[in-house]
Amino acid sequence: MIAARPKTLLAMGHQVADRLITSRVRDRLAAIADVNPDLVAADFADPAVAGELASAEVLYTSWWCPPITEDVLARAPRLRAIVHAAGTVKHHVTEACWQRGILVSSAAAANAEPVAEYTLASILFANKRVLDLARLYRERRAGIDLEGSFPGIGNYRRTVGIVGASRIGRRVIELLRPFELDVLVADPYLREDLGVPHVELDELFERCDVISVHAPALPETRHLIDAARLARMRDGATLINTARGALVDQDALIAELAAGRLYAVIDVTEPDVLPADSPLYDLPNVLLTPHIAGSLGGELARLTELALDELERYAHGQPFAYGIEAEALATSA
């Protein structure tokens, strides 16, 4: 038990709290912090949270946390830290928080793991043409000439390109190491050796059989993957996007997919939920999923464990292991 438990307020959507704040999490929160696990600030203007906000030293946040604006901070004079049990903090940690010197931590490292796992599976399935063969087998209900239908099928010595040496991109590179694949990475901010060739983005698009996108969504990365770059891809190559829909020119991608030249695994789109008439629902060379690569179900426990570890470090006067600096947000998610 910690002698001086920091006064902590939960701030997230009520539905998120129902999933994250399990009995085990409640017990650990009680051991670390002075917190009311039944009070959730889904709206900082709610009179019911005013007293707790005024005395809170830490905000324990997650998805759908409202923005922590200058007005909110004025009503939280004792606030010293924000521990985020999810990925990006850009949606709720405002410039006012950084100006006040509030410490910020994120569980983005924990959320990176399922995304990287999903990407690994997608890469291996793409080169094995699993979706195509499963569809053909279902349609024909007879033997298939595998090599004749898909010459060169398989993963051995295929070239995989990673767009963005982000936390997730780096983890994907690590997960790919046991496989006999050739891996390239493209990232203009990369200054260290990740053990794979670092190439320019256009070269990566020309050389790879599978390209996986892990860059941050920034104004300068909107439509980073445009018609010209898609045109550089090899016939039969696969584009995987688990990052953000805005990184890809969706209309240009649909044109390439409709022509049958490329394949795609798309977990994020623009908008997040596509209209019912989008061609992406029906194209046979597309695996379209509704943003499932990140933490779901039992994987949420990984986020809370990391965030609780960070809260415990703060309670012991130790620095965060996964602290976020304002300057890093300019080039990260």
Side-chain angles (χ1 to χ4, degrees):
M1 185 69 71
I2 296 168
R5 298 177 301 156
K7 184 71 174 178
T8 301
L9 174 63
L10 306 181
M12 60 192 74
H14 289 294
Q15 290 180 328
V16 175
D18 290 342
R19 296 198 302 269
L20 289 186
I21 312 303
T22 63
S23 58
R24 185 177 184 281
V25 172
R26 283 170 173 259
D27 290 344
R28 194 169 172 204
L29 274 170
I32 299 171
D34 177 4
V35 61
N36 178 358
D38 296 315
L39 181 65
V40 177
D43 180 355
F44 290 124
D46 184 350
V49 305
E52 293 291 315
L53 180 62
S55 60
E57 183 179 346
V58 179
L59 287 178
Y60 185 93
T61 66
S62 191
W63 292 291
W64 300 350
C65 174
I68 305 166
T69 62
E70 190 171 351
D71 177 65
V72 172
L73 292 175
R75 290 180 279 122
R78 299 182 181 180
L79 188 65
R80 298 291 178 270
I82 298 167
V83 175
H84 190 51
T88 181
V89 300
K90 287 185 176 181
H91 302 304
H92 65 295
V93 176
T94 67
E95 180 61 28
C97 297
W98 302 114
Q99 290 179 355
R100 186 153 131 184
I102 290 173
L103 301 174
V104 179
S105 170
S106 165
N111 197 48
E113 193 65 26
V115 181
E117 292 169 352
Y118 178 98
T119 302
L120 171 64
S122 298
I123 291 168
L124 298 178
F125 267 39
N127 284 327
K128 204 72 171 177
R129 292 291 181 241
V130 169
L131 292 177
D132 287 305
L133 286 167
R135 176 177 52 81
L136 281 174
Y137 197 28
R138 185 182 303 112
E139 291 172 355
R140 297 180 184 178
R141 305 189 181 216
I144 297 173
D145 177 7
L146 301 179
E147 290 289 348
S149 300
F150 298 96
I153 189 174
N155 280 287
Y156 181 68
R157 286 299 168 223
R158 288 300 186 110
T159 304
V160 178
I162 305 300
V163 179
S166 61
R167 182 181 282 109
I168 296 171
R170 290 166 187 246
R171 182 59 179 145
V172 172
I173 291 171
E174 291 175 5
L175 292 178
L176 288 171
R177 292 197 195 285
F179 302 94
E180 293 177 289
L181 293 160
D182 298 319
V183 181
L184 308 176
V185 63
D187 188 323
Y189 300 101
L190 182 60
R191 297 292 180 268
E192 60 194 280
D193 183 4
L194 298 183
V196 298
H198 182 197
V199 300
E200 293 297 322
L201 190 58
D202 287 346
E203 180 183 348
L204 182 143
F205 269 77
E206 291 170 354
R207 292 176 57 183
C208 292
D209 300 292
V210 180
I211 296 169
S212 190
V213 184
H214 303 288
L218 305 169
E220 57 268 33
T221 60
R222 178 171 176 77
H223 290 184
L224 176 71
I225 298 162
D226 56 11
R229 288 208 165 103
L230 291 169
R232 290 176 179 271
M233 293 179 69
R234 297 176 175 179
D235 290 352
T238 300
L239 180 73
I240 301 171
N241 188 10
T242 58
R244 288 292 183 268
L247 292 165
V248 178
D249 182 336
Q250 198 161 273
D251 291 339
L253 177 60
I254 289 173
E256 289 280 14
L257 294 169
R261 198 178 72 79
L262 301 178
Y263 294 82
V265 178
I266 305 172
D267 190 51
V268 287
T269 55
E270 193 177 32
D272 291 335
V273 178
L274 291 170
D277 61 353
S278 171
L280 291 174
Y281 287 117
D282 299 314
L283 286 166
N285 46 346
V286 177
L287 172 60
L288 178 67
T289 51
H291 206 158
I292 65 170
S295 299
L296 293 172
E299 295 164 337
L300 296 174
R302 187 189 282 121
L303 296 175
T304 56
E305 287 300 319
L306 187 150
L308 288 168
D309 287 346
E310 291 288 77
L311 183 58
E312 187 166 4
R313 288 188 185 93
Y314 177 84
H316 282 294
Q318 300 170 354
F320 288 137
Y322 297 94
I324 303 293
E325 299 295 335
E327 296 78 13
L329 294 180
T331 56
S332 66

Short mmCIF file of all heavy atoms in Angstrom, two decimals, residues 51-73:
data_model
loop_
_atom_site.label_atom_id
_atom_site.label_comp_id
_atom_site.label_asym_id
_atom_site.label_seq_id
_atom_site.Cartn_x
_atom_site.Cartn_y
_atom_site.Cartn_z
N GLY A 51 -16.33 18.77 -7.73
CA GLY A 51 -15.53 18.66 -6.51
C GLY A 51 -14.31 17.78 -6.70
O GLY A 51 -13.21 18.13 -6.26
N GLU A 52 -14.49 16.64 -7.37
CA GLU A 52 -13.38 15.72 -7.60
C GLU A 52 -12.35 16.35 -8.55
O GLU A 52 -11.14 16.17 -8.36
CB GLU A 52 -13.89 14.40 -8.19
CG GLU A 52 -14.73 13.59 -7.24
CD GLU A 52 -13.93 13.01 -6.09
OE1 GLU A 52 -12.83 12.48 -6.34
OE2 GLU A 52 -14.39 13.11 -4.94
N LEU A 53 -12.83 17.08 -9.55
CA LEU A 53 -11.91 17.75 -10.48
C LEU A 53 -11.08 18.80 -9.75
O LEU A 53 -9.88 18.93 -9.99
CB LEU A 53 -12.70 18.40 -11.61
CG LEU A 53 -11.89 19.13 -12.68
CD1 LEU A 53 -10.94 18.18 -13.41
CD2 LEU A 53 -12.81 19.82 -13.69
N ALA A 54 -11.69 19.52 -8.84
CA ALA A 54 -10.99 20.59 -8.12
C ALA A 54 -9.87 20.05 -7.24
O ALA A 54 -8.86 20.73 -7.02
CB ALA A 54 -11.99 21.37 -7.27
N SER A 55 -10.03 18.80 -6.76
CA SER A 55 -9.02 18.24 -5.86
C SER A 55 -8.11 17.22 -6.53
O SER A 55 -7.18 16.71 -5.90
CB SER A 55 -9.71 17.58 -4.66
OG SER A 55 -10.58 16.55 -5.08
N ALA A 56 -8.35 16.92 -7.81
CA ALA A 56 -7.60 15.86 -8.48
C ALA A 56 -6.15 16.26 -8.74
O ALA A 56 -5.87 17.35 -9.24
CB ALA A 56 -8.28 15.50 -9.80
N GLU A 57 -5.24 15.36 -8.42
CA GLU A 57 -3.83 15.51 -8.75
C GLU A 57 -3.50 14.79 -10.06
O GLU A 57 -2.60 15.18 -10.79
CB GLU A 57 -2.97 14.95 -7.63
CG GLU A 57 -1.47 15.12 -7.83
CD GLU A 57 -0.65 14.58 -6.68
OE1 GLU A 57 -1.23 14.30 -5.60
OE2 GLU A 57 0.58 14.42 -6.84
N VAL A 58 -4.28 13.73 -10.35
CA VAL A 58 -4.06 12.92 -11.55
C VAL A 58 -5.40 12.69 -12.24
O VAL A 58 -6.41 12.42 -11.59
CB VAL A 58 -3.43 11.56 -11.20
CG1 VAL A 58 -3.23 10.73 -12.47
CG2 VAL A 58 -2.12 11.73 -10.46
N LEU A 59 -5.40 12.78 -13.56
CA LEU A 59 -6.52 12.32 -14.37
C LEU A 59 -6.12 11.00 -15.01
O LEU A 59 -5.09 10.91 -15.69
CB LEU A 59 -6.88 13.33 -15.47
CG LEU A 59 -7.57 14.63 -15.03
CD1 LEU A 59 -7.81 15.52 -16.24
CD2 LEU A 59 -8.88 14.34 -14.31
N TYR A 60 -6.92 9.97 -14.76
CA TYR A 60 -6.71 8.66 -15.37
C TYR A 60 -7.68 8.58 -16.53
O TYR A 60 -8.89 8.42 -16.35
CB TYR A 60 -6.97 7.56 -14.34
CG TYR A 60 -6.68 6.15 -14.82
CD1 TYR A 60 -5.44 5.56 -14.61
CD2 TYR A 60 -7.66 5.40 -15.45
CE1 TYR A 60 -5.18 4.26 -15.03
CE2 TYR A 60 -7.41 4.10 -15.87
CZ TYR A 60 -6.18 3.54 -15.65
OH TYR A 60 -5.91 2.25 -16.07
N THR A 61 -7.19 8.75 -17.76
CA THR A 61 -8.05 8.95 -18.92
C THR A 61 -8.02 7.75 -19.86
O THR A 61 -7.16 6.87 -19.78
CB THR A 61 -7.61 10.20 -19.70
OG1 THR A 61 -6.30 9.98 -20.27
CG2 THR A 61 -7.55 11.43 -18.79
N SER A 62 -8.99 7.74 -20.76
CA SER A 62 -9.01 6.77 -21.85
C SER A 62 -9.86 7.35 -22.97
O SER A 62 -10.11 8.56 -23.02
CB SER A 62 -9.54 5.41 -21.37
OG SER A 62 -9.31 4.43 -22.38
N TRP A 63 -10.32 6.49 -23.89
CA TRP A 63 -11.08 6.95 -25.04
C TRP A 63 -12.30 7.79 -24.60
O TRP A 63 -12.93 7.50 -23.58
CB TRP A 63 -11.57 5.76 -25.87
CG TRP A 63 -10.46 5.03 -26.56
CD1 TRP A 63 -9.69 5.48 -27.59
CD2 TRP A 63 -9.99 3.72 -26.26
NE1 TRP A 63 -8.77 4.52 -27.96
CE2 TRP A 63 -8.93 3.43 -27.17
CE3 TRP A 63 -10.36 2.74 -25.33
CZ2 TRP A 63 -8.24 2.22 -27.17
CZ3 TRP A 63 -9.68 1.54 -25.31
CH2 TRP A 63 -8.63 1.29 -26.23
N TRP A 64 -12.59 8.79 -25.42
CA TRP A 64 -13.72 9.69 -25.23
C TRP A 64 -13.56 10.60 -24.02
O TRP A 64 -14.52 11.17 -23.52
CB TRP A 64 -15.06 8.94 -25.14
CG TRP A 64 -15.37 8.13 -26.35
CD1 TRP A 64 -14.73 8.14 -27.57
CD2 TRP A 64 -16.41 7.16 -26.47
NE1 TRP A 64 -15.29 7.24 -28.43
CE2 TRP A 64 -16.34 6.62 -27.79
CE3 TRP A 64 -17.39 6.69 -25.60
CZ2 TRP A 64 -17.20 5.64 -28.25
CZ3 TRP A 64 -18.26 5.70 -26.06
CH2 TRP A 64 -18.16 5.19 -27.37
N CYS A 65 -12.34 10.74 -23.53
CA CYS A 65 -12.09 11.77 -22.52
C CYS A 65 -12.31 13.12 -23.17
O CYS A 65 -11.79 13.38 -24.27
CB CYS A 65 -10.66 11.67 -21.98
SG CYS A 65 -10.22 13.02 -20.85
N PRO A 66 -13.09 14.01 -22.55
CA PRO A 66 -13.28 15.34 -23.16
C PRO A 66 -11.98 16.14 -23.14
O PRO A 66 -11.08 15.86 -22.33
CB PRO A 66 -14.35 15.98 -22.26
CG PRO A 66 -14.30 15.23 -20.98
CD PRO A 66 -13.85 13.84 -21.30
N PRO A 67 -11.84 17.11 -24.02
CA PRO A 67 -10.61 17.92 -24.05
C PRO A 67 -10.34 18.60 -22.72
O PRO A 67 -11.25 19.13 -22.09
CB PRO A 67 -10.90 18.95 -25.16
CG PRO A 67 -11.93 18.30 -26.02
CD PRO A 67 -12.78 17.49 -25.09
N ILE A 68 -9.08 18.57 -22.32
CA ILE A 68 -8.67 19.20 -21.06
C ILE A 68 -8.18 20.60 -21.41
O ILE A 68 -6.99 20.85 -21.62
CB ILE A 68 -7.58 18.35 -20.36
CG1 ILE A 68 -8.08 16.92 -20.18
CG2 ILE A 68 -7.21 18.95 -19.01
CD1 ILE A 68 -7.00 15.93 -19.81
N THR A 69 -9.12 21.51 -21.50
CA THR A 69 -8.87 22.86 -21.98
C THR A 69 -8.38 23.77 -20.85
O THR A 69 -8.32 23.38 -19.68
CB THR A 69 -10.16 23.45 -22.56
OG1 THR A 69 -11.14 23.51 -21.51
CG2 THR A 69 -10.69 22.59 -23.70
N GLU A 70 -8.06 24.99 -21.22
CA GLU A 70 -7.64 25.99 -20.23
C GLU A 70 -8.73 26.21 -19.19
O GLU A 70 -8.44 26.37 -18.00
CB GLU A 70 -7.30 27.30 -20.94
CG GLU A 70 -6.62 28.32 -20.06
CD GLU A 70 -6.10 29.51 -20.85
OE1 GLU A 70 -6.12 29.46 -22.08
OE2 GLU A 70 -5.66 30.48 -20.21
N ASP A 71 -9.99 26.19 -19.64
CA ASP A 71 -11.11 26.35 -18.71
C ASP A 71 -11.19 25.18 -17.73
O ASP A 71 -11.42 25.37 -16.53
CB ASP A 71 -12.42 26.47 -19.49
CG ASP A 71 -13.63 26.56 -18.57
OD1 ASP A 71 -13.74 27.55 -17.84
OD2 ASP A 71 -14.46 25.62 -18.58
N VAL A 72 -10.98 23.97 -18.23
CA VAL A 72 -10.98 22.80 -17.35
C VAL A 72 -9.83 22.89 -16.35
O VAL A 72 -10.00 22.62 -15.15
CB VAL A 72 -10.88 21.50 -18.18
CG1 VAL A 72 -10.69 20.28 -17.27
CG2 VAL A 72 -12.11 21.33 -19.06
N LEU A 73 -8.66 23.27 -16.83
CA LEU A 73 -7.50 23.38 -15.94
C LEU A 73 -7.71 24.44 -14.86
O LEU A 73 -7.22 24.28 -13.73
CB LEU A 73 -6.26 23.71 -16.76
CG LEU A 73 -5.76 22.61 -17.69
CD1 LEU A 73 -4.60 23.10 -18.53
CD2 LEU A 73 -5.37 21.37 -16.91
#
